[in-house]
C-alpha cells in the first residue's frame, strides 16, 4: 500500500491510525503504518511527555504522529471557570436525574472526574505542542480544521507535516489556503465529529478541490477492500480510528464497553450532540436517547456540553452502567466482532487489499473478477 505520501513519510503502508492509546499507536507504527496519538485527554503535559517517550521506545525508529484539538481562532480572556458558569441549572438537574434513574452512584472521595473538555482549550493544546515538538513526531493533525497560522509555521520549521480533518470540499479548500500539507476527508460514517457527506461522495470531491495536496480517506473504512476503494477515489492513504478500539492493545478498561462494541452492528451508532455539543457519531445508548429526546432540555453548544457531562461520563464508565455506557465509534463497528492484536488487524488489511487490487487487475485486463 505504497503511495507518494507514504514514501514521503517513510512508512510501508499508507495507513494512518488514530488512537487515544499509546500502545495502539506504537503497534500501528511497528506494523508499517503511522500511529497517531490523540492528545485531547492529556491535560497534564508531563503525562504526554512520558507517553511520547514510551512510544519512541517501542517503534524502533519508525515515524508516529500526534492529533490535537485546537480552534483556528482564539477567544481571549475566557477561562474554564467562565465557561462553567454559563451552564444552566436546569441542564445540571437533567444530568443528575438521568443518572439517578439508572442508579449510577456518585464518585468516591478523591476520585477524579476523568476526561474533561480542557483538552479543547487552546492553552492546553499549546502546552501539548511544546511537548510534541521536543519529540521527533512526523505528523501533527488537528481535528478542528487547520491550527492557527503560527502553529502551522512552527510545525514546518520542525519538519513536521500538518494534517486537518474536513467534512466538505469547502472546508478542505480553507485548510489548503491555511498552508496545511494533508487533508483528511472524513465522511459521515466516521466515529467522532462528522459532517453530513458520506465518504464515497466526499473523498473525490476533496481530492479535486485541493489537488495537488494529498488526501486521506476516512469514515467507514475497516477492510482492505475499503482501503482499495479509498485509493481508487484519489486518496493517497486512509485514516482509521474506530477499528483499533477492540484490539488487544486498546486500554478501554471496561469489559462491559468492549462487549457492547463487539456485539454492535453497523446500525447501532447515532450522530448525537450528547458528548460535546457538536454532532459526533457514537454508540447509541440510553444516554444519547435521553439527550436526543425532544422532551429533554436539549444539548448545549461546545464547549458547554462537554464540561456539563464530564463527571457524569466518568461515573458511567467507572460503574459500567451498561444502558448508558458508550463511546465514539463509526459505523465500521459492525466489523469489529473479535479481540485481536493490532498486528493481526494490520495483516488482514494488507492481505485483503492485495487480493482486491489483484481482482481489479483481472477485471481491467478483461479476465473477470471472481
Amino acid at each position: 500500500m505504497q503511495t507518494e505520501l507514504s514514501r514521503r513519510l517513510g512508512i510501508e503502508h499508507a495507513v494512518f491510525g488514530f488512537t487515544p492509546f499509546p500502545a495502539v499507536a506504537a503497534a500501528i507504527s511497528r506494523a508499517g503504518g503511522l500511529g497517531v496519538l490523540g492528545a485531547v485527554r492529556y491535560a497534564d503535559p508531563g503525562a504526554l511527555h512520558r507517553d511520547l517517550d514510551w512510544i519512541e521506545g517501542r517503534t524502533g525508529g519508525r515515524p508516529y504522529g500526534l492529533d490535537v484539538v485546537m480552534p483556528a481562532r482564539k477567544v481571549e480572556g475566557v477561562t474554564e471557570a467562565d465557561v462553567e458558569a454559563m451552564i444552566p441549572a436546569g441542564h445540571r438537574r437533567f444530568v443528575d436525574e438521568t443518572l439517578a434513574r439508572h442508579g449510577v452512584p456518585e464518585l468516591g472521595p478523591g476520585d477524579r472526574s476523568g476526561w474533561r473538555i480542557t483538552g479543547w482549550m487552546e492553552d492546553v493544546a499549546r502546552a501539548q505542542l511544546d511537548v510534541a515538538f521536543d519529540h521527533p513526531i512526523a505528523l501533527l493533525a488537528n481535528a478542528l480544521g487547520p491550527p492557527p497560522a503560527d502553529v502551522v509555521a512552527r510545525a514546518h520549521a520542525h519538519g513536521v507535516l500538518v494534517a486537518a480533518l474536513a467534512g466538505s470540499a469547502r472546508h478542505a479548500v480553507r485548510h489548503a489556503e491555511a498552508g496545511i500539507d494533508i487533508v483528511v476527508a472524513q465522511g459521515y460514517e466516521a466515529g467522532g465529529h462528522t459532517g453530513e457527506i458520506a465518504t464515497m461522495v466526499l473523498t473525490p470531491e476533496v481530492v479535486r478541490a485541493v489537488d495537488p495536496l494529498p488526501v486521506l480517506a476516512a469514515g467507514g473504512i475497516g477492510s482492505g477492500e475499503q482501503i482499495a476503494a479509498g485509493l481508487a477515489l484519489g486518496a493517497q492513504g486512509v485514516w482509521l480510528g474506530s477499528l483499533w478500539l477492540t484490539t488487544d492493545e486498546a486500554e478501554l478498561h471496561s469489559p462491559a464497553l468492549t462487549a457492547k462494541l463487539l456485539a454492535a452492528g453497523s446500525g447501532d451508532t447515532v450522530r448525537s450532540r450528547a458528548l460535546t455539543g457538536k454532532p459526533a457519531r457514537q454508540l447509541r445508548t440510553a444516554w444519547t436517547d435521553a439527550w436526543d429526546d425532544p422532551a429533554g432540555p436539549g444539548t448545549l453548544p461546545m464547549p458547554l456540553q462537554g464540561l456539563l457531562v464530564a463527571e457524569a461520563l466518568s461515573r458511567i464508565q467507572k460503574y459500567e452502567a451498561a444502558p448508558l455506557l458508550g463511546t465514539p465509534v463509526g459505523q465500521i463497528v459492525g466489523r469489529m466482532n473479535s479481540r485481536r492484536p493490532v498486528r493481526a488487524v494490520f495483516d488482514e488489511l494488507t492481505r485483503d487489499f492485495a487480493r482486491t487490487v489483484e481482482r481489479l487487475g483481472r477485471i481491467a485486463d478483461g479476465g473477470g473478477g471472481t
Side-chain angles (χ1 to χ4, degrees), residues 171-190:
H171 293 156
V173 169
R174 288 209 300 264
H175 298 357
E177 291 170 346
I180 62 95
D181 306 289
I182 303 166
V183 175
V184 182
Q186 179 165 284
Y188 174 84
E189 305 94 324

Side-chain angles (χ1 to χ4, degrees), residues 1-16 32-34 62-63 138 159 161 182 214 216 231 235-238 353:
M1 285 187 275
Q2 279 282 308
T3 65
E4 180 182 346
L5 179 60
S6 67
R7 287 188 288 270
R8 182 179 179 185
L9 284 163
I11 57 178
E12 185 179 356
H13 303 294
V15 174
F16 296 70
L34 192 133
R62 293 173 181 262
L161 297 183
I182 303 166
L216 302 178
L231 299 189
Q236 288 200 31
V238 293
F353 173 84

Side-chain angles (χ1 to χ4, degrees), residues 144-171:
L144 289 181
D150 67 295
V151 173
V152 175
R154 187 179 177 190
H156 289 165
H158 282 81
V160 176
L161 297 183
V162 180
L165 275 66
S168 72
R170 176 171 51 87
H171 293 156

Side-chain angles (χ1 to χ4, degrees), residues 65-80:
L66 189 73
D67 180 278
V68 296
V69 181
M70 62 189 310
R73 297 180 182 85
K74 181 177 182 179
V75 179
E76 298 287 350
V78 177
T79 67
E80 184 179 342

Side-chain angles (χ1 to χ4, degrees), residues 10-270:
I11 57 178
E12 185 179 356
H13 303 294
V15 174
F16 296 70
F18 167 81
T19 175
F21 307 121
V24 175
I28 291 168
S29 290
R30 286 198 307 273
L34 192 133
V36 181
L37 179 67
V40 71
R41 67 189 179 96
Y42 289 95
D44 174 16
L48 179 60
H49 178 80
R50 289 191 297 273
D51 280 353
L52 291 181
D53 279 348
W54 188 92
I55 290 173
E56 279 178 41
R58 287 159 179 81
T59 55
R62 293 173 181 262
Y64 65 93
L66 189 73
D67 180 278
V68 296
V69 181
M70 62 189 310
R73 297 180 182 85
K74 181 177 182 179
V75 179
E76 298 287 350
V78 177
T79 67
E80 184 179 342
D82 294 331
V83 177
E84 285 266 17
M86 300 177 189
I87 298 173
H91 281 72
R92 295 190 186 278
R93 283 195 301 274
F94 180 77
V95 169
D96 292 340
E97 290 165 359
T98 302
L99 295 177
R101 190 160 57 248
H102 290 274
V104 183
E106 299 274 355
L107 292 176
D111 283 345
R112 297 179 67 245
S113 64
W115 176 84
R116 289 177 64 79
I117 205 69
T118 49
W120 301 75
M121 308 289 281
E122 183 174 347
D123 57 341
V124 176
R126 286 188 177 273
Q128 294 166 348
L129 293 174
D130 290 339
V131 172
F133 290 132
D134 282 338
H135 293 78
I137 63 170
L139 178 74
L140 175 68
N142 188 39
L144 289 181
D150 67 295
V151 173
V152 175
R154 187 179 177 190
H156 289 165
H158 282 81
V160 176
L161 297 183
V162 180
L165 275 66
S168 72
R170 176 171 51 87
H171 293 156
V173 169
R174 288 209 300 264
H175 298 357
E177 291 170 346
I180 62 95
D181 306 289
I182 303 166
V183 175
V184 182
Q186 179 165 284
Y188 174 84
E189 305 94 324
H193 296 107
T194 72
E196 302 280 354
I197 306 171
T199 304
M200 180 68 73
V201 175
L202 178 65
T203 302
E205 287 184 352
V206 172
V207 168
R208 286 193 297 270
V210 301
D211 182 63
L213 280 186
V215 172
L216 302 178
I221 301 174
S223 71
E225 295 91 340
Q226 291 164 322
I227 294 174
L231 299 189
L233 294 172
Q236 288 200 31
V238 293
W239 177 274
L240 310 182
S242 299
L243 191 64
W244 316 109
L245 287 173
T246 53
T247 58
D248 290 344
E249 293 87 346
E251 302 161 23
L252 284 178
H253 302 305
S254 171
L257 179 55
T258 299
K260 290 185 77 169
L261 288 169
L262 294 174
S266 56
D268 293 327
T269 68
V270 64

